[in-house]
Amino acid sequence: MSTAQNPLSVEVTLPREDIVLLTVEGHLDIDTATGLQHHLANQFQHGRRHFLLELSAVPFMDSSGMNIIIRAYQQTRELDGSVHIISPTSAVRRILDLTGVSITVPVSNSVDDALALVDKQQDGPA
């Protein structure tokens, strides 16, 4: 499907200085994934280390979207940061589970749950 039929919308907010919340809406596929990639790259350039990807309005994601999430995860690991997926739709959750991405990248039900995981990571081992 073309980008015109399924545009991707990404809203960027900053819950904290080093944490960015990207609320994604639309199909995350080969036609639209570069839009998300550009937003992520921009936030990396601004020094963000923790990325929260809210996917409750993403009805479909293909391997292009997954690859962007995995690359962001790998990049944040080098910065002692993190990527968190929030509220994926059932179709997206199924893809994350089938590919094993949900084992590596934490999946949360809410922004608050993801922020709590970031706090726990920053506090380090007990």
Side-chain angles (χ1 to χ4, degrees):
M1 295 195 180
S2 74
T3 304
Q5 290 175 330
N6 290 306
L8 187 73
S9 163
V10 180
E11 179 183 330
V12 178
T13 54
L14 301 173
R16 301 187 196 149
E17 188 172 330
D18 65 340
I19 301 173
V20 62
L21 169 62
L22 295 105
T23 304
V24 184
E25 184 176 340
H27 288 228
L28 187 50
D29 57 25
I30 193 164
D31 292 328
T32 62
T34 55
L36 178 58
Q37 186 173 5
H38 290 305
H39 283 286
L40 289 166
N42 184 39
Q43 293 305 314
F44 274 114
Q45 288 178 343
H46 282 90
R48 311 286 183 249
R49 295 183 317 122
H50 300 283
F51 293 78
L52 311 181
L53 303 174
E54 209 285 353
L55 304 180
S56 65
V58 176
F60 174 81
M61 180 175 70
D62 70 6
S63 61
S64 302
M66 278 196 340
N67 287 334
I68 288 172
I69 292 170
I70 291 166
R71 280 191 302 237
Y73 171 80
Q74 291 168 338
Q75 200 170 351
T76 60
R77 298 274 297 172
E78 296 171 9
L79 303 170
D80 199 27
S82 61
V83 172
H84 299 266
I85 297 170
I86 301 167
S87 301
T89 57
S90 59
V92 171
R93 178 64 193 239
R94 182 167 152 60
I95 296 293
L96 295 169
D97 289 346
L98 286 172
T99 59
V101 172
S102 61
I103 294 170
T104 306
V105 180
V107 179
S108 299
N109 291 324
S110 70
V111 172
D112 288 340
D113 290 348
L115 288 171
L117 288 174
V118 171
D119 290 343
K120 186 175 180 181
Q121 176 188 349
Q122 289 178 331
D123 289 344

